[in-house]
Amino acid sequence: MPFVELETNLPAGQLPPGLAQELCAAAADILGKPAERMNVTVRSGLSMVVAGSAEPCAQLVVSTIGVVGTAEQNQRHSARFFDFLTAQLGLGTER
């Protein structure tokens, strides 16, 4: 079962409604797994510093077996997750 954990310092009220379900669907598509097998957690309002700055940011942890093995796979998956998160959270590309 894939596990996807999104952590952000954005308050819950600034997250789009249904973000967990949208992330679940996106992750299932990106990883080629059924949505019914996905485990998604969204944690908001955290105290976070990325690249020395506490400006709005997020980090995503993806754990799965047999899907993120090669550098090419990781690059493709990372790019798609990055596009999803920057669009959903309205963060700059550096965050």
Side-chain angles (χ1 to χ4, degrees):
M1 264 188 209
F3 291 88
V4 177
E5 300 174 67
L6 173 63
E7 296 179 334
T8 181
N9 59 358
L10 293 170
Q14 288 185 6
L15 300 180
L19 176 61
Q21 284 77 18
E22 291 292 326
L23 179 55
C24 180
D29 181 55
I30 292 166
L31 299 174
K33 299 285 186 178
E36 299 79 29
R37 304 286 299 176
M38 301 299 300
N39 292 291
V40 174
T41 303
V42 176
R43 294 183 187 94
S44 59
L46 299 174
S47 178
M48 293 177 66
V49 174
V50 170
S53 171
E55 291 295 315
C57 61
Q59 66 182 17
L60 187 72
V61 177
V62 178
S63 301
T64 186
I65 296 172
V67 177
V68 287
T70 69
E72 293 80 20
Q73 285 175 314
N74 288 337
Q75 288 173 342
R76 282 193 306 272
H77 294 141
S78 294
R80 291 183 66 195
F81 277 117
F82 178 82
D83 291 343
F84 172 83
L85 290 176
T86 53
Q88 290 289 315
L89 301 179
L91 299 175
T93 56
E94 74 286 354
R95 301 305 293 160

